[in-house]
């Protein structure tokens, strides 16, 4: 089934400070990465979608059902993993997942089988009967995403999925995310652009409370690539080049040379050429700098 999340003209303020300004977008099945600087409004938008905050105005619908005010959205239809995922430390992992099944009204006759499947899927067998206080950061994030997908979740919202994880755990978590994102809407906020490039179908860039870009990974890279050039220079020339162009990436090649990616402008740099390998991070930084955000 194709699911749809429709966000229309959502506004939110803290006092006189505008946090979200007429946010409008649509998300369908697949993974949408929500990118933006700290304070851009990403977490606020997620909390509004999940009902933890109420907007000043606007409308949010999941498959035509009003998420803000209607009473006919079941808890089993939306899964949420906040950045700070805190559970009472003495609770066993299994008991916690069992409790989540109960509050999502999962059929008691099917609960045991469903729990077995999700424990196996997220490789929790080794720790599931232990108190959560004994879990490593990686296991705690696995438990968090396991509780989010329990039930008939049509929308999964995850805030900073790989925060605090080491590189090996991040790689493992990317695998889990790619598995859950095919047949439901999965909205993920992250500061790690590399993660978003690897598992996302769509990218939503938000800053200063407004959407700056909404499209596929290939779209944002394609839009930015013609404006990104590169040059290899000596380390001692780096400071001067930084003064003449807007640099978006620097990569040390050896003890003497650095490869610089920069935004093409009126300043000519000898031996520079169009960059062929533009990453999502390059494109994201390009958009931010063009709009004076970075």
């Amino acid at each position: 089934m194709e699911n749809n999340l429709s966000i229309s003209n959502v506004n939110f303020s803290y006092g006189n400070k505008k946090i979200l300004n007429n946010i409008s977008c649509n998300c369908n099945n697949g993974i949408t990465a929500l990118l933006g600087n700290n304070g851009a409004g990403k977490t606020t938008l997620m909390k509004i979608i999940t009902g933890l905050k109420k907007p000043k105005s606007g409308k949010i619908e999941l498959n035509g059902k009003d998420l803000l005010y209607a009473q006919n959205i079941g808890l089993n239809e939306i899964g949420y993993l906040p950045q700070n995922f805190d559970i009472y430390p003495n609770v066993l992992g299994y008991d916690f997942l069992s409790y989540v099944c109960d509050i999502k009204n999962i059929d008691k006759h099917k609960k045991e089988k469903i729990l077995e499947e999700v424990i196996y899927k997220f490789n929790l067998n080794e720790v599931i009967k232990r108190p959560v206080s004994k879990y490593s950061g990686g296991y705690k994030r696995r438990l968090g995403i396991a509780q989010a997908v329990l039930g008939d979740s049509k929308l999964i919202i995850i805030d900073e999925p790989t925060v605090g994880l080491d590189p090996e755990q991040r790689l493992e978590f990317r695998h889990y995310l790619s598995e859950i994102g095919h047949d439901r809407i999965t909205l993920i906020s992250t500061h790690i652009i590399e993660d978003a490039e690897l598992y996302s179908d769509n990218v939503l860039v938000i800053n200063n409370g407004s959407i700056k870009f909404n499209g596929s990974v290939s779209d944002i890279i394609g839009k930015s690539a013609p404006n990104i050039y590169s040059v290899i220079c000596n380390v001692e020339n780096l400071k001067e080049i930084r003064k003449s162009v807007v640099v978006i990436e620097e990569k040390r090649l050896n003890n003497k040379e650095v490869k610089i990616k920069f935004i093409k402008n009126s300043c000519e740099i000898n031996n520079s050429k169009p960059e062929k390998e533009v990453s999502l991070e390059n494109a994201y930084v390009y958009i931010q700098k063009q709009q004076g955000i970075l």
Side-chain angles (χ1 to χ4, degrees):
M1 174 185 175
E2 184 68 20
N3 297 290
N4 176 259
L5 175 69
S6 174
I7 302 172
S8 303
N9 302 315
V10 169
N11 291 275
F12 184 88
S13 300
Y14 284 117
N16 294 324
K17 185 178 181 181
K18 193 85 168 179
I19 305 299
L20 298 177
N21 184 26
N22 284 325
I23 295 291
S24 295
C25 63
N26 283 280
C27 299
N28 297 311
N29 287 4
I31 298 176
T32 295
L34 186 57
L35 307 179
N37 297 339
N38 287 330
K42 307 186 303 297
T43 296
T44 298
L45 179 59
M46 288 183 157
K47 287 184 176 180
I48 289 174
I49 296 171
T50 57
L52 295 175
K53 292 183 181 296
K54 291 294 183 184
K56 183 178 180 180
S57 61
K59 190 174 185 180
I60 300 179
E61 293 181 332
L62 177 61
N63 296 333
K65 297 180 181 178
D66 188 340
L67 289 187
L68 298 180
Y69 302 104
Q71 302 297 315
N72 60 342
I73 296 289
L75 289 174
N76 64 326
E77 293 189 45
I78 302 175
Y80 178 47
L81 175 58
Q83 180 176 345
N84 298 314
F85 178 57
D86 294 322
I87 307 170
Y88 287 114
N90 294 327
V91 173
L92 303 184
Y94 187 91
D95 291 343
F96 172 69
L97 292 182
S98 178
Y99 168 72
V100 173
C101 284
D102 292 341
I103 64 174
K104 289 189 173 184
N105 294 316
I106 290 174
D107 190 327
K108 293 182 178 180
H109 301 290
K110 299 178 180 178
K111 185 170 81 168
E112 185 175 346
K113 182 180 179 181
I114 289 171
L115 286 173
E116 287 177 358
E117 289 174 349
V118 78
I119 290 166
Y120 174 79
K121 182 174 184 177
F122 295 106
N123 197 18
L124 287 164
N125 290 285
E126 185 178 335
V127 299
I128 199 63
K129 294 298 179 66
R130 297 179 189 174
V132 174
S133 61
K134 303 296 184 182
Y135 283 30
S136 66
Y139 275 121
K140 194 172 181 181
R141 296 307 280 178
R142 288 188 210 174
L143 184 69
I145 196 168
Q147 62 82 27
V149 303
L150 282 171
D152 185 26
S153 298
K154 297 174 175 60
L155 170 63
I156 302 289
I157 299 175
I158 305 176
D159 198 357
E160 296 294 344
T162 59
V163 66
L165 303 185
D166 61 35
E168 185 177 356
Q169 291 170 333
R170 281 174 52 206
L171 181 63
E172 185 180 62
F173 211 81
R174 289 174 192 160
H175 172 70
Y176 295 140
L177 292 176
S178 65
E179 280 192 351
I180 68 171
H182 295 298
D183 57 355
R184 68 192 92 197
I185 304 162
T186 307
L187 185 61
I188 296 173
S189 170
T190 182
H191 285 91
I192 303 174
I193 311 298
E194 180 187 3
D195 285 352
E197 183 167 18
L198 290 171
Y199 56 59
S200 301
D201 304 295
N202 202 61
V203 176
L204 199 65
V205 179
I206 180 171
N207 259 310
N208 296 326
S210 299
I211 294 175
K212 306 301 181 182
F213 180 86
N214 183 9
S216 68
V217 172
S218 59
D219 285 342
I220 189 172
I221 291 175
K223 177 181 178 180
S224 307
N227 303 289
I228 298 175
Y229 275 51
S230 65
V231 66
I232 296 174
C233 68
N234 292 325
V235 173
E236 57 264 29
N237 297 329
L238 185 56
K239 187 177 291 187
E240 287 302 314
I241 290 178
R242 286 173 179 157
K243 293 178 182 178
S244 61
V245 296
V246 179
V247 176
I248 63 172
E249 182 181 299
E250 297 175 1
K251 183 178 181 180
R252 191 74 173 253
L253 301 178
N254 50 52
N255 290 334
K256 295 183 178 180
E257 294 180 315
V258 178
K259 180 178 180 179
I260 295 176
K261 294 181 184 179
F262 63 94
I263 297 176
K264 179 186 177 183
N265 57 22
S266 58
C267 179
E268 294 291 335
I269 298 180
N270 291 335
N271 301 317
S272 66
K273 56 186 178 181
E275 175 56 37
K276 295 181 179 179
E277 297 180 0
V278 176
S279 66
L280 175 59
E281 183 169 359
N282 296 154
Y284 170 74
V285 174
Y286 166 76
I287 286 177
Q288 301 288 69
K289 285 187 176 295
Q290 286 293 93
Q291 298 181 17
I293 295 168
L294 291 179

